[in-house]
Amino acid sequence: MAIQPILLITRQTMQTAFRRIFTIGKAASTPKNIGLTAAAFGLALMALGITTVMAPPTIQASDHDDGDIDVRSRALSLTDLYVFREIDVNPAAQANDLILVMNTNPRSLARQQYFFSSAARYEFRISRVANNNAVPTARPDLTLRFSFSEPQGSPRRQRMTLTLIDEKGTTTVNRTIGGGAMQTTPLATASSPFLNQVRVRGSNLTVFAGLREDPFFFDVEQFFRVRAGLLGRGPAVGFRAPEDAVDFATGYNVNTIVVRVPRRLLQGSSQATTFDVWLSLLIPDPRTGQFVQTEQLARPAINEGLVLSQASLAAYNRTQPSRTVPSTVAREATSVLLALGNSPARAQALLGAFIPDVMRIDTLGPSGYANALNSKGAPIGGRLLTDDVVDISLAVLTNGAVTTDNVTYEGVPGNPGQGHHPLSPSFPYLAPAN
């Protein structure tokens, strides 16, 4: 069976908590019409990670399938960040170890070998938080940077380098504790993942890099039908029943980097127990040779959910997380929130909760997306692999008008269109590659 997070709150409890925090007067907390308009509901669904250009009707998909552009190939596409306490999925784990997961290269076909870019830097960026209600600084106190060689050998694998950057300086590691080279796990040996045990600044870390099954789940095909009906471009339909719903990520893989890291390494000389985490992907500028950020990612669906145009999305990826949001990005995000029935004051409160775009985790409480919220309404429980972020987003952004797409991680018996393999009971926790 898939590993289940400890002390999961119900979707209804989570939804009530969001409503309580984002209530700014009775009129602000309740849309004038509980039945969302077609345009508003379409925007709500876009907050799940799908953006569109309405004229012409060209689809710009989510981080899981956002295509190739001049500066982003499949290997340069971030898809998901997960951060959780290891004891919440493995009671035998060390109490203060955290698991960081970076997923890239979306929609990777089964039994096909994919590689990390040898030109890019894949970074976990972490800042220490004074208290759960503090505004994110959007400045990392510590960075875990991963870089990869060209594939080599048979079966083909990549050598890996870990660079830690903090106030003490820069430490680079490319050998395991046993003296061997840090390396990825090739698809041919995916059932026996190679775990890189490394020592950095007096702490032992475990690193896995390679293909695993994509744990994300969402009936994106039916989403397009629902949206078309709401926009008058097809018959009016709802989400499919559980026995018919189809998960678009079922059967696909992602390239993933999974790190087990002791909390004391993240703390440095501080006593911090809450951290902000985000991903940054950098490639060299061909004109200058300097590395520039082309993608960033933290909480699920924030960028595509609140930003509509390709130009603004590119600006968002270059500048976030930051307390200063480009004006075009702010205008688009506000327009989406207003279209959903929010008052201007509530829209600003929502923006304050989700920008800067970081994933906060209070390591003193159980992990889980929206398991706990701070006073601004921002989630502070990190994210577990089986958290249903689509249902959470639907319930919150439509104010309870829509609560589920009827897709789950485990799937429905008798429905081959959804369901994932059971998670691994031990590190790196994601299910083996298809």
Side-chain angles (χ1 to χ4, degrees):
M1 294 180 62
I3 298 170
Q4 295 298 319
I6 296 174
L7 297 178
L8 268 180
I9 61 171
T10 65
R11 185 186 308 126
Q12 290 77 13
T13 302
M14 174 279 304
Q15 182 180 327
T16 300
F18 268 101
R19 284 177 172 171
R20 181 173 66 251
I21 289 174
F22 290 128
T23 296
I24 305 177
K26 183 176 180 180
S29 63
T30 305
K32 292 181 180 179
N33 183 355
I34 191 65
L36 295 176
T37 65
F41 186 46
L43 287 170
L45 291 172
M46 281 187 272
L48 303 177
I50 305 292
T51 59
T52 61
V53 179
M54 299 310 297
T58 301
I59 295 171
Q60 171 62 37
S62 74
D63 270 324
H64 278 80
D65 194 13
D66 50 9
D68 292 351
I69 62 175
D70 289 346
V71 297
R72 183 180 64 236
S73 68
R74 291 173 59 89
L76 299 176
S77 182
L78 297 170
T79 67
D80 279 297
L81 167 66
Y82 300 85
V83 183
F84 53 90
R85 303 187 311 174
E86 190 171 12
I87 58 170
D88 290 330
V89 297
N90 183 354
Q94 294 292 321
N96 292 322
D97 283 352
L98 298 181
I99 301 297
L100 311 179
V101 180
M102 176 193 304
N103 285 345
T104 68
N105 209 24
R107 307 276 282 175
S108 296
L109 299 174
R111 309 316 305 165
Q112 295 292 320
Q113 179 69 68
Y114 296 85
F115 298 100
F116 296 93
S117 169
S118 60
R121 292 174 174 174
Y122 299 83
E123 296 185 349
F124 293 96
R125 296 185 174 184
I126 301 134
S127 63
R128 303 171 188 122
V129 180
N131 63 76
N132 288 338
N133 297 320
V135 176
T137 65
R139 295 188 300 272
D141 294 308
L142 181 145
T143 297
L144 297 176
R145 172 186 297 161
F146 291 88
S147 55
F148 298 87
S149 72
E150 292 285 349
Q152 53 191 272
S154 180
R156 298 174 74 200
R157 65 187 75 213
Q158 295 175 276
R159 294 199 173 191
M160 177 172 34
T161 298
L162 164 62
T163 302
L164 184 150
I165 306 166
D166 65 4
E167 67 277 6
K168 296 179 181 179
T170 300
T171 300
T172 299
V173 179
N174 56 23
R175 313 294 293 187
T176 67
I177 292 175
M182 293 182 66
Q183 58 186 273
T184 60
T185 296
L187 181 62
T189 60
S191 60
S192 300
F194 184 82
L195 306 183
N196 298 273
Q197 307 286 348
V198 298
R199 190 161 180 81
V200 183
R201 300 276 182 83
S203 294
N204 292 335
L205 281 68
T206 307
V207 180
F208 167 86
L211 285 162
R212 303 296 276 185
E213 183 178 66
D214 188 349
F216 190 67
F217 47 99
F218 178 31
D219 190 348
V220 69
E221 180 184 353
Q222 190 64 10
F223 157 76
F224 286 121
R225 293 194 178 99
V226 171
R227 188 192 62 195
L230 291 168
L231 296 175
R233 299 180 179 180
V237 296
F239 281 108
R240 292 181 276 212
E243 59 270 19
D244 299 316
V246 177
D247 174 10
F248 88 120
T250 291
Y252 287 104
N253 299 323
V254 286
N255 272 110
T256 185
I257 302 171
V258 186
V259 187
R260 174 194 288 127
V261 56
R263 186 175 66 186
R264 65 177 177 273
L265 180 64
L266 306 184
Q267 289 175 318
S269 58
S270 77
Q271 298 298 314
T273 56
T274 297
F275 305 92
D276 286 336
V277 186
W278 64 98
L279 303 179
S280 180
L281 195 149
L282 303 94
I283 62 173
D285 186 321
R287 298 165 299 178
T288 65
Q290 299 296 311
F291 278 85
V292 294
Q293 177 175 287
T294 57
E295 281 216 0
Q296 68 81 42
L297 188 68
R299 288 177 291 220
I302 298 302
N303 51 355
E304 282 100 344
L306 298 180
V307 182
L308 300 178
S309 70
Q310 183 64 45
S312 292
L313 183 58
Y316 186 94
N317 272 322
R318 287 193 303 268
T319 61
Q320 278 294 307
S322 172
R323 293 187 183 186
T324 303
V325 181
S327 58
T328 55
V329 174
R331 284 197 297 270
E332 289 186 8
T334 301
S335 69
V336 170
L337 293 170
L338 293 176
L340 292 174
N342 297 294
S343 70
R346 188 170 186 270
Q348 289 305 307
L350 285 164
L351 287 176
F354 291 103
I355 296 178
D357 183 12
V358 298
M359 185 175 291
R360 179 162 291 183
I361 180 166
D362 176 1
T363 63
L364 298 183
S367 303
Y369 193 67
N371 250 18
L373 309 171
N374 66 12
S375 62
K376 295 181 180 294
I380 58 172
R383 180 185 178 187
L384 290 154
L385 294 170
T386 54
D387 283 346
D388 198 333
V389 295
V390 168
D391 283 6
I392 290 171
S393 298
L394 278 170
V396 172
L397 293 167
T398 67
N399 203 22
V402 180
T403 59
T404 182
D405 65 342
N406 290 318
V407 168
T408 66
Y409 182 92
E410 296 85 357
V412 176
N415 179 358
Q418 62 169 289
H420 295 247
H421 294 300
L423 295 174
S424 172
S426 59
F427 188 91
Y429 296 109
L430 286 80
N434 293 289

